[in-house]
Amino acid sequence: AHYCKGNDVAEIACGTGPGLGMLDKVARNFEAGDVSGAMIEIAQRHYGDRIKLSQFDAQEMPFEASSKDVLLIFEALYYVRHIDRFISECRRVLRPGGRLLIATANKDLADFNPSPHSFRYLGASELAEEFAALGAVELFGYLDTQEVSLRQRLLRPVKRVVVGLGLMPTTMSGKRILKRLVFGRPVEMPAELAGTEYAYAEPEPIRQDEPDRRHKVLYCSVTVGPG
């Protein structure tokens, strides 16, 4: 919201869009989309005409050149088949000085379990390397694995063994059962977040020249250079 305030903003791969309302309230102009028509239909049923939603591929965006100040992709970069095409589209769509904001799972954790539908995960050093061609890169880490609950800390070595042996469930139903055992009863995601559900936690700046093995989530901000 801080980056988007007063700007022309688009969220890429928005899914069912629980955060769209928060961004729409602060942006000068806001729209979003996803490659999945089914996801867009779910979001459309909730937001109606409040937010412009469309179906598109992150590698071929329907936006005019130099039309956006901020592009956001939240937990979906690893579903983009060709990162170079995505970066090229970001450069085309973003104005000079505009920002690309990325939130992604940290692949460099010892117990990391990739989605079976993903193409490629980028860790801290890969994010810095890949997006340097777009502009100035800043990296942050969130949710230190040493600060999670005792139960999760004890179970992380078990998860590492399960992942290493290839025994992690690949179906949503199997993952749901496993997560319930580890985290307890799941909490239903609301159709729209109000922005007040949780206290804001400032992300921690991290190094760009080495893997980050502490944080569960990586944030990347890329400020587009001139030309």
Side-chain angles (χ1 to χ4, degrees):
H2 170 74
Y3 287 117
C4 297
K5 187 175 181 179
N7 285 319
D8 296 325
V9 182
E11 181 170 351
I12 306 159
C14 68
T16 59
L20 300 184
M22 293 172 56
L23 298 180
D24 185 56
K25 289 177 182 177
V26 298
R28 176 173 56 193
N29 176 270
F30 180 72
E31 57 185 305
D34 196 278
V35 73
S36 168
M39 291 287 191
I40 292 298
E41 287 181 12
I42 294 172
Q44 195 80 65
R45 283 199 296 269
H46 174 75
Y47 290 103
D49 296 330
R50 286 169 52 198
I51 296 174
K52 182 180 179 181
L53 297 167
S54 55
Q55 183 177 0
F56 63 86
D57 190 320
Q59 301 162 120
E60 193 172 348
M61 303 180 208
F63 310 128
E64 295 182 3
S66 300
S67 62
K68 301 298 179 186
D69 300 302
V70 180
L71 293 176
L72 166 69
I73 183 165
F74 180 84
E75 291 291 358
L77 185 63
Y78 35 85
Y79 296 128
V80 177
R81 185 184 294 271
H82 301 292
I83 297 295
D84 57 336
R85 287 175 55 187
F86 171 66
I87 293 174
S88 178
E89 272 293 85
C90 290
R91 175 170 289 282
R92 181 185 69 81
V93 171
L94 284 168
R95 297 166 179 146
R99 289 180 186 266
L100 169 65
L101 303 178
I102 301 167
T104 188
N106 186 3
K107 75 174 185 67
D108 292 316
L109 293 181
D111 60 342
F112 175 71
N113 178 47
S115 164
H117 305 293
S118 61
F119 292 107
R120 181 188 174 201
Y121 286 85
L122 301 182
S125 56
E126 289 92 351
L127 284 166
E129 181 179 355
E130 292 285 352
F131 287 94
L134 181 62
V137 177
E138 297 176 275
L139 295 180
F140 306 87
Y142 172 68
L143 196 54
D144 194 321
T145 53
Q146 297 303 310
E147 297 178 3
V148 298
S149 68
L150 177 61
R151 183 181 186 183
Q152 289 190 47
R153 291 201 300 272
L154 293 174
L155 286 172
R156 287 189 69 219
V158 177
K159 180 185 174 186
R160 180 179 182 180
V161 172
V162 171
V163 171
L165 294 176
L167 300 176
M168 184 66 70
T170 57
T171 64
M172 291 302 294
S173 59
K175 289 184 176 181
R176 190 176 297 113
I177 293 172
L178 183 63
K179 287 185 176 182
R180 183 163 183 170
L181 291 172
V182 176
F183 299 108
R185 184 180 296 275
V187 177
E188 184 176 355
M189 174 70 77
E192 181 177 353
L193 294 167
T196 57
E197 291 85 353
Y198 304 99
Y200 175 72
E202 191 77 25
E204 179 182 349
I206 58 174
R207 296 180 60 124
Q208 301 187 14
D209 58 351
E210 63 184 24
D212 178 273
R213 306 194 190 280
R214 287 178 47 207
H215 301 94
K216 297 191 75 170
V217 181
L218 301 179
Y219 294 141
C220 176
S221 169
V222 189
T223 303
V224 178

